[in-house]
Amino acid sequence: EAQVTQNPRYLITVTGKKLTVTCSQNMNHEYMSWYRQDPGLGLRQIYYSMNVEVTDKGDVPEGYKVSRKEKRNFPLILESPSPNQTSLYFCASRTGNTEAFFGQGTRLTVV
Amino acid sequence: GQSLEQPSEVTAVEGAIVQINCTYQTSGFYGLSWYQQHDGGAPTFLSYNALDGLEETGRFSSFLSRSDSYGYLLLQELQMKDSASYFCAGSTDSWGKFQFGAGTQVVVTP
């Protein structure tokens, strides 16, 4: 079954404690992206990757890092989380000009 | 700010037709996409218009006019399960940058 898998689904952490949200896809897609979703703002792209070792900033990259060492994996790293990073996060993957598959989401709370 | 504008909410009764408009200000969009998202769930892909015109997929249709920087999603024969948020979105370059509208909450009433 084609899917994008994110972990964890829910996470509560404290300010400043580094965390990583994992994302894996089994469709051999070149493109992968991370989004955050906040009420009234839709989904905003944090980072995207066009292929292994090729990443670029989206609209809201501050406070986040990513890596793409393997085609299937695209982890999102928060080196020093802050309360304004409390949000719902989605990973997505695609081959063409449109996002095709999304992970189930990670609800992050930073206290 | 948002490059794609869509209404925040639309309410309609079961069996009706709803049209969700989306206008965009950024030039060079590589087509327009539509997604559905139920509360607490992940967005799911509905349709993609790469060229001008109408694309039909079952009860849902999507339209794009590049000259007017405008598109819409048409939901026909509304069902209760269609109550959800709908997002228009597009890619602004060929490298992967992607933007979403703020979403339209569709409320279907009996």
Side-chain angles (χ1 to χ4, degrees):
Chain A
E1 180 190 353
Q3 59 185 7
V4 177
T5 304
Q6 287 178 235
N7 279 297
R9 293 287 312 277
Y10 302 91
L11 180 60
I12 301 174
T13 190
V14 296
T15 299
K17 185 177 182 182
K18 180 180 178 180
L19 66 93
T20 299
V21 185
T22 63
C23 175
S24 180
Q25 51 99 356
N26 63 1
M27 296 161 282
N28 203 37
H29 285 169
E30 291 86 11
Y31 293 94
M32 297 184 75
S33 295
W34 274 104
Y35 295 87
R36 63 177 289 171
Q37 185 173 26
D38 303 290
L41 296 177
L43 287 91
R44 293 180 293 166
Q45 194 178 43
I46 302 170
Y47 268 95
Y48 59 97
S49 170
M50 296 77 83
N51 215 320
V52 175
E53 302 291 4
V54 184
T55 63
D56 206 350
K57 297 176 181 178
D59 288 329
V60 288
E62 294 76 23
Y64 305 95
K65 284 175 58 177
V66 292
S67 70
R68 189 93 182 270
K69 293 185 169 55
E70 306 164 283
K71 200 170 188 179
R72 63 183 291 121
N73 295 323
F74 190 44
L76 179 70
I77 303 154
L78 285 72
E79 294 269 2
S80 183
S82 62
N84 65 12
Q85 293 179 297
T86 292
S87 188
L88 178 58
Y89 292 86
F90 289 102
C91 179
S93 77
R94 60 177 152 128
T95 55
N97 286 327
T98 186
E99 299 291 9
F101 293 89
F102 286 83
Q104 288 307 299
T106 296
R107 191 168 290 280
L108 172 66
T109 302
V110 184
V111 298
Chain B
Q2 294 293 141
S3 294
L4 300 101
E5 300 288 335
Q6 52 183 126
S8 59
E9 185 170 322
V10 172
T11 300
V13 297
E14 267 188 300
I17 298 173
V18 158
Q19 179 173 314
I20 303 170
N21 298 323
C22 176
T23 57
Y24 56 91
Q25 285 79 47
T26 302
S27 62
F29 261 101
Y30 284 72
L32 196 67
S33 304
W34 290 92
Y35 299 85
Q36 178 191 62
Q37 185 182 32
H38 286 99
D39 274 350
T44 56
F45 170 76
L46 292 177
S47 69
Y48 172 61
N49 291 70
L51 303 173
D52 286 2
L54 189 68
E55 295 279 343
E56 297 179 84
T57 309
R59 294 187 297 111
F60 295 176
S61 303
S62 58
F63 172 83
L64 176 64
S65 169
R66 290 177 177 275
S67 59
D68 295 321
S69 297
Y70 162 78
Y72 66 72
L73 179 70
L74 194 70
L75 287 63
Q76 303 180 79
E77 300 171 21
L78 273 179
Q79 301 176 7
M80 297 298 292
K81 67 179 181 180
D82 297 330
S83 290
S85 291
Y86 293 83
F87 296 89
C88 59
S91 177
T92 56
D93 61 35
S94 62
W95 297 104
K97 202 157 192 179
F98 208 73
Q99 291 186 325
F100 284 77
T104 299
Q105 178 80 35
V106 171
V107 178
V108 182
T109 59

